[in-house]
Amino acid sequence: MDRSFGQLDDLYREVVLDHYRSPRGRDPISEPACRHEGVNPLCGDEVELAVRLEEDRIADVQLRTRGCAISVASGSMLAEMLPGMTLDEVGRLGDRFREILHGSNGDGTDDEEDLGDLEALRGVSQFPVRIKCALLPWVTLREAIRACKEGLRSPERATSTEEDSP
Amino acid sequence: MDRSFGQLDDLYREVVLDHYRSPRGRDPISEPACRHEGVNPLCGDEVELAVRLEEDRIADVQLRTRGCAISVASGSMLAEMLPGMTLDEVGRLGDRFREILHGSNGDGTDDEEDLGDLEALRGVSQFPVRIKCALLPWVTLREAIRACKEGLRSPERATSTEEDSP
Amino acid sequence: MSVSIERLDVRRIRSDFPILGREVHGHALRYLDNAATTQKPRAVLDALRDYYERHNSNVHRGVHTLAQEATEAYEGVRTRLGRFLGGVEPRGIVFTRNTTEAINLVARSIVEPRIGSGDEILLTEMEHHSNLVPWIQLAKRTGARLRHVPITEDGRLDLDAFDDLLTDRTKLVAFAHASNVLGTINPVERIAERARAKGALTLLDAAQSIPHMPVDARELGVDLLAASAHKMLGPTGVGFLWGRPELLEEAEPMLGGGEMILEVHLDRATWADLPQKLEAGTPNVGDVVAFGAALNYLEAAGLAAIRAHEVELTGYALERLRSLENLRVYGPEDPEHRSGVISFYDETIHPHDLATMLDLRGIAIRAGHHCAQPLMRRLGVPATSRASFYLYNERADVDALVEGLEEARSYFG
Amino acid sequence: MSVSIERLDVRRIRSDFPILGREVHGHALRYLDNAATTQKPRAVLDALRDYYERHNSNVHRGVHTLAQEATEAYEGVRTRLGRFLGGVEPRGIVFTRNTTEAINLVARSIVEPRIGSGDEILLTEMEHHSNLVPWIQLAKRTGARLRHVPITEDGRLDLDAFDDLLTDRTKLVAFAHASNVLGTINPVERIAERARAKGALTLLDAAQSIPHMPVDARELGVDLLAASAHKMLGPTGVGFLWGRPELLEEAEPMLGGGEMILEVHLDRATWADLPQKLEAGTPNVGDVVAFGAALNYLEAAGLAAIRAHEVELTGYALERLRSLENLRVYGPEDPEHRSGVISFYDETIHPHDLATMLDLRGIAIRAGHHCAQPLMRRLGVPATSRASFYLYNERADVDALVEGLEEARSYFG
Ligand SMILES: Cc1ncc(COP(=O)(O)O)c(C=O)c1O
Ligand SMILES: Cc1ncc(COP(=O)(O)O)c(C=O)c1O
Ligand code: FES
Ligand code: FES
């Protein structure tokens, strides 16, 4: 039997496993925060996410993922990277992340977003049914921010139904 | 193109066509008669049948068939043959007729019913979907007789759903 | 129109259909029962086999490779069908068993929740039982009233009567695009436009049109549309409903079970998004995949070319049949106004006797009420004989039919 | 029992299934997702192809040769299935798309007309969504109340609780013969007997039992029984309901349309006899015919032999899985009390990660809620991993599964 972990290592890179084993963003954040609970309908897994904005910047993110290694790692990376970023920057980063998940290599120009650890999730593009996993925290974040903008402060439960393929 | 009517003639023998072209049993019969209207659900064709019994003998049969050549001919033969027969004889004849329609050749003994003209419908056995056609008047007759026995005198409409195969 | 349309290469097409090489009673099969169901090209049978030999798995939710492949193949046909219908959203397409189930789904899921006694459903006298019985059942459940657009002597819808019958009480107009008995092609756009103006929904029974001519669901202006794969070179067991997604979103699922749910508790449940919401249980994956191959085959042949071929063949058949004395031929005169379906009636020979006689010559036609008993009553006959064409039929089929009919007339006459 | 049962020749059986020769990610496919759907032997695919290449036609009412052949083939499988179920009347068998549709048919056609608010329907905590959602919908329409038999710690029905829950208000007891998650085989006869004594109808969801063991519908004593062809070597798109004919005779058809009628007027209609009455529109003829070949294949292999093979394999798998630490394995201990379905849960590795990892080794298992969300809640897990066996599985499949699982544990642990 083939004992190499070739393709497997593509999906679960060391940095992904590290985020999975010790996810960031678990500490409670101070109010007022906007909350959202996202569900991946494929598997029923859930992310509870809270975000605190300061003007148009993300001040703090907290999240609790009941999910697979991919969704947990993706959420952990998000929690680590986002604080301090403007909403515009977050939007661009999310777009770029979606792109590489759908297998685009970018146009090679220098002004592409720096994906940081998210880069390590590139391998998910080879596992189409798992793309929803990687996007689950992002979709939940988007809804939480929308809730903020609409002045909602109470947690809302909704479903991430973002399509995993174009 | 093959111009022989071989198989066709098996189904539509001359005597069948003769009954079809000038069906017997169309004259009104005197009351009290028992009536039944039979329908072939395959095609929606109908037989209106009236029978007058004298004790356990058939005195008179009248029928009006809106149907195909097979059903019309079968009904016409019935009208011609039955008057004067006892109900027992009619029952045996009907059974024998069903048998040959289902392809049985009988046991070759002498006491088999004489089928008379009905013999000419033997070819129907090679056309399974048409067996219902040949049986339509018989099924209707059975219901009319049942109506007599139950003391019903008014026409009843019902459906012949006799199975065309065992 | 002066669009140049490729002529069908009927000889080549025929060689794609294995069953056409078959003999019946010692004669080459001449299949003229296409309104009942159509034959299948090798490409469809290959797709079916390939699916089961290489990809078969249950769809959705599965992580393993076969499950992913099966899901992609299945959902790919939904997208493909969306293009076939003129570019509609795939989530507005629900796979059913057949046209009949699609119409029942509309009745239960979409019409029933919004109709009450006093409301009316407008049908026509030329409908197939599949577009009559679900409404009879619905009327019984809800107290809604059924009205029917009458037909004219030459077998068209009486549009003046339609205009009168369409009122503020009309909640739905459900009608056939092409009649499976008369061949009549109905003026869908006009009907849909008036219905829309009155605020009534429209459901098009496209079982006899989509297989035979270019159909653009949105251009027609109807809200809902139903058809069957088996009448368009696809396998039995697949039909579909297309509907405006907004309408389907409000729909109350007719069938509950796996696949169509979001969250299930013992005492309550929420529904998945479209289209899964309306597809309960394991779908007919294999046949849907094969249906995709049928769509490819039809588009490769060209729907406009198929239509032109059938118009020509129908014109020829009408001409030959009309030359026979004492034969009633139903439906509009002009083949441009009809599909490739021709019903006829001869006083001297019962349709079933004719069908049996033709079968002995290898010619398959249908005899009966064609699931349109009310129309038979309107025509004043118990049954008719019906020949119906498709892309693989040829003039020789028509010649054999007419010759067989003449023979039968002389035999019984 | 000391009946001698032929051992399956698994090697020969495997060679009958083309897909088992396939590679996935460079490894031989090891298909352990049989509870979701099963693979098809060549004989089934040949029957499907032969039908379309030689006999394809619409069924019933047709006089021509193809129509007769198609009708005989289609109705022949109904008779065949009646024998397979232990010799039941063919007219009590209704072909549907799948188990789900069969259960919905029972809900709409049989239970709905005889139930009202205050009445109760008794289900269990281990049901598949297909045997939960139709009743949730029915309860909403009728005001009937749903009750659920709880399960014990080792995944059996709590029969004492059942006895208490079964009352004079219970109109229907609907339950799975074998659980698609726990593998538990439920004591059908005992349940059916008590239900009958209380005057309640019984519906058996046999989707996970009929494919895997001898089942005699009448001996079990239930009134109604549903299953899916695709879980028993047959094609997708076919399921069936068997019911006591007297019950089906009273049924109010769920779907209206062609085939199921006797007489149609514009405003009223009467129904055909059983079973046509409950099959509206063109049926899935091709797949039903192929399903007949699946039944032949299963009987040739022998249902008792299949059962014995699965018990042995399940026993082996349970033994190996139970030897792993910190792995929860659900359901009864004794393989004689369960089907070839094994669900397990490992705190350290998410079922979907495991399924992906195994897939990279060619091993197809299912991860998720298995359309049994309430049961997942009862077990206190969001999802489980599930391996499920069939006649073509072998010990090497179990070995690969366990090895892959150990690998995954060391990878993530
Ligand atoms: C116990 C049980 N019931 C019902 C079903 C539903 O079967 P289908 O999807 O074929 O309708 C399944 C299959 O997943 C099952 O395992
Ligand atoms: C006009 C029309 N509507 C509906 C149907 C029903 O189609 P199906 O039997 O595939 O449901 C037919 C086919 O006979 C038809 O011709
Ligand atoms: S499997 Fe549920 S989020 Fe990944
Ligand atoms: S076809 Fe109607 S009775 Fe023969």
Side-chain angles (χ1 to χ4, degrees), chain C residues 5-62:
Chain C
I5 291 164
E6 289 275 331
R7 274 185 79 85
L8 293 185
D9 182 348
V10 177
R11 178 186 290 271
R12 222 214 48 227
I13 287 174
R14 291 180 65 84
S15 71
D16 292 334
F17 289 78
I19 206 171
L20 297 182
R22 193 194 142 150
E23 294 210 334
V24 167
H25 291 298
H27 298 265
L29 169 65
R30 298 196 175 277
Y31 186 75
L32 295 173
D33 193 15
N34 291 290
T37 200
T38 61
Q39 299 304 338
K40 321 305 172 199
R42 207 168 280 113
V44 167
L45 305 184
D46 288 346
L48 198 51
R49 186 151 200 139
D50 180 69
Y51 170 75
Y52 285 122
E53 290 196 343
R54 299 181 42 76
H55 311 293
N56 174 59
S57 166
N58 214 320
V59 291
H60 306 307
R61 305 184 177 281

Side-chain angles (χ1 to χ4, degrees), chain C residues 18-19 22 24-25 29 31 33 36-40 42 45-46 48-49 51-69 95-98 100-101 104 108 124-125 128-130 132-134 136-137 140 146 148 230-231 235-237 252-269 271 280-287 352 355-356 359 363-367 369 371 373-374 377, chain D residues 18-19 22 24-25 29 31 33 36-40 42 45-46 48-49 51-69 95-98 100-101 104 108 124-125 128-130 132-134 136-137 140 146 148 230-231 235-237 252-269 271 280-287 352 355-356 359 363-367 369 371 373-374 377:
Chain C
I19 206 171
R22 193 194 142 150
V24 167
H25 291 298
L29 169 65
Y31 186 75
D33 193 15
T37 200
T38 61
Q39 299 304 338
K40 321 305 172 199
R42 207 168 280 113
L45 305 184
D46 288 346
L48 198 51
R49 186 151 200 139
Y51 170 75
Y52 285 122
E53 290 196 343
R54 299 181 42 76
H55 311 293
N56 174 59
S57 166
N58 214 320
V59 291
H60 306 307
R61 305 184 177 281
V63 165
H64 60 74
T65 298
L66 295 184
Q68 290 180 44
E69 290 174 358
F95 288 116
T96 61
R97 178 171 39 246
N98 47 30
T100 304
E101 191 193 5
N104 279 276
R108 297 251 185 200
T124 88
E125 281 183 356
H128 188 279
H129 291 163
S130 291
L132 292 172
V133 182
I136 292 172
Q137 293 176 297
K140 208 176 144 203
L146 307 180
H148 300 85
H230 72 91
K231 293 189 200 284
T236 49
E252 192 55 47
M254 173 170 78
L255 302 176
E259 307 273 348
M260 55 71 77
I261 58 86
L262 186 58
E263 213 176 288
V264 178
H265 294 261
L266 288 173
D267 58 350
R268 64 187 193 279
W271 311 144
T282 304
N284 188 348
V285 188
D287 289 329
H352 281 77
T356 294
D359 185 52
I363 306 163
I365 65 156
R366 189 137 296 228
H369 54 59
C371 297
Q373 289 179 359
R377 268 180 227 110
Chain D
I19 206 170
R22 195 195 140 151
V24 168
H25 291 298
L29 169 65
Y31 186 75
D33 193 16
T37 200
T38 60
Q39 300 304 338
K40 322 303 172 201
R42 206 168 282 113
L45 305 184
D46 288 347
L48 198 50
R49 185 151 203 141
Y51 171 75
Y52 285 122
E53 289 195 343
R54 299 182 42 76
H55 311 292
N56 174 60
S57 166
N58 213 320
V59 290
H60 307 304
R61 303 183 178 283
V63 166
H64 59 75
T65 298
L66 295 184
Q68 290 180 43
E69 292 174 357
F95 287 116
T96 61
R97 179 172 37 249
N98 48 31
T100 304
E101 192 193 5
N104 279 275
R108 297 248 186 203
T124 88
E125 281 183 357
H128 188 280
H129 291 163
S130 291
L132 292 172
V133 181
I136 293 173
Q137 294 176 298
K140 207 176 144 203
L146 307 180
H148 300 85
H230 72 91
K231 292 189 201 282
T236 50
E252 193 55 48
M254 174 170 78
L255 302 175
E259 308 273 349
M260 54 71 77
I261 58 87
L262 185 58
E263 213 176 288
V264 177
H265 294 261
L266 289 172
D267 58 351
R268 64 185 194 282
W271 311 143
T282 303
N284 187 350
V285 188
D287 289 329
H352 282 77
T356 293
D359 186 52
I363 306 162
I365 65 156
R366 189 137 297 227
H369 55 58
C371 297
Q373 289 179 0
R377 268 180 227 109

Side-chain angles (χ1 to χ4, degrees), chain C residues 217-244:
Chain C
R218 278 176 315 180
E219 254 178 31
L220 291 174
V222 295
D223 296 303
L224 299 145
L225 176 155
S228 293
H230 72 91
K231 293 189 200 284
M232 48 199 300
L233 307 186
T236 49
V238 178
F240 62 89
L241 172 69
W242 167 79
R244 283 194 297 107

Side-chain angles (χ1 to χ4, degrees), chain D residues 159-178:
Chain D
L159 292 176
D160 292 337
F162 165 72
D163 291 344
D164 292 342
L165 286 163
L166 180 73
T167 70
D168 292 337
R169 288 186 301 277
T170 312
K171 290 291 168 289
L172 173 78
V173 182
F175 63 107
H177 193 171

Side-chain angles (χ1 to χ4, degrees), chain B residues 40 42-46 65-72 130 132-134 136, chain C residues 350 352-353, chain D residues 63:
Chain B
N40 178 345
L42 171 76
C43 53
D45 286 338
E46 296 170 353
T65 307
R66 202 191 64 180
C68 65
I70 308 296
S71 60
V72 170
R130 306 304 298 277
K132 266 202 171 83
C133 303
L136 177 58
Chain C
H350 189 282
H352 281 77
D353 289 319
Chain D
V63 166

Side-chain angles (χ1 to χ4, degrees), chain C residues 23-316:
Chain C
E23 294 210 334
V24 167
H25 291 298
H27 298 265
L29 169 65
R30 298 196 175 277
Y31 186 75
L32 295 173
D33 193 15
N34 291 290
T37 200
T38 61
Q39 299 304 338
K40 321 305 172 199
R42 207 168 280 113
V44 167
L45 305 184
D46 288 346
L48 198 51
R49 186 151 200 139
D50 180 69
Y51 170 75
Y52 285 122
E53 290 196 343
R54 299 181 42 76
H55 311 293
N56 174 59
S57 166
N58 214 320
V59 291
H60 306 307
R61 305 184 177 281
V63 165
H64 60 74
T65 298
L66 295 184
Q68 290 180 44
E69 290 174 358
T71 305
E72 265 168 45
Y74 179 74
E75 291 302 328
V77 175
R78 203 192 300 277
T79 307
R80 177 80 192 75
L81 178 56
R83 284 205 309 278
F84 190 90
L85 296 175
V88 300
E89 279 184 73
R91 72 194 181 101
I93 294 172
V94 179
F95 288 116
T96 61
R97 178 171 39 246
N98 47 30
T99 305
T100 304
E101 191 193 5
I103 295 175
N104 279 276
L105 178 60
V106 172
R108 297 251 185 200
S109 291
I110 298 175
V111 179
E112 185 153 354
R114 60 174 83 204
I115 208 162
S117 79
D119 291 336
E120 292 184 357
I121 293 171
L122 187 48
L123 310 167
T124 88
E125 281 183 356
M126 65 168 80
E127 297 311 309
H128 188 279
H129 291 163
S130 291
N131 200 24
L132 292 172
V133 182
W135 308 116
I136 292 172
Q137 293 176 297
L138 180 74
K140 208 176 144 203
R141 291 197 300 273
T142 62
R145 187 164 167 210
L146 307 180
R147 309 300 303 265
H148 300 85
V149 182
I151 60 168
T152 62
E153 278 312 301
D154 65 339
R156 293 157 180 275
L157 290 182
D158 180 337
L159 293 176
D160 292 337
F162 165 71
D163 291 344
D164 291 342
L165 286 164
L166 181 73
T167 70
D168 294 336
R169 288 186 301 278
T170 313
K171 289 292 168 287
L172 173 77
V173 182
F175 62 108
H177 193 171
S179 159
N180 70 316
V181 175
L182 304 166
T184 317
I185 296 176
N186 291 317
V188 180
E189 277 145 303
R190 180 191 186 284
I191 293 172
E193 198 186 306
R194 306 268 165 129
R196 195 166 46 247
K198 283 283 183 197
L201 291 179
T202 44
L203 162 62
L204 189 66
D205 174 354
Q208 297 292 348
S209 61
I210 287 196
H212 301 282
M213 57 194 76
V215 168
D216 184 312
R218 278 176 315 180
E219 254 178 31
L220 291 174
V222 295
D223 296 303
L224 299 145
L225 176 155
S228 293
H230 72 91
K231 293 189 200 284
M232 48 199 300
L233 307 186
T236 49
V238 178
F240 62 89
L241 172 69
W242 167 79
R244 283 194 297 107
E246 314 85 78
L247 264 180
L248 300 188
E249 253 152 24
E250 296 164 22
E252 192 55 47
M254 173 170 78
L255 302 176
E259 307 273 348
M260 55 71 77
I261 58 86
L262 186 58
E263 213 176 288
V264 178
H265 294 261
L266 288 173
D267 58 350
R268 64 187 193 279
T270 53
W271 311 144
D273 283 336
L274 288 181
Q276 267 70 44
K277 165 180 153 183
L278 298 173
E279 293 182 4
T282 304
N284 188 348
V285 188
D287 289 329
V288 165
V289 171
F291 179 36
L295 295 175
N296 291 343
Y297 191 95
L298 286 174
E299 285 201 342
L303 273 297
I306 292 171
R307 171 72 184 141
H309 174 71
E310 291 184 23
V311 168
E312 204 244 276
L313 210 55
T314 305
Y316 177 65

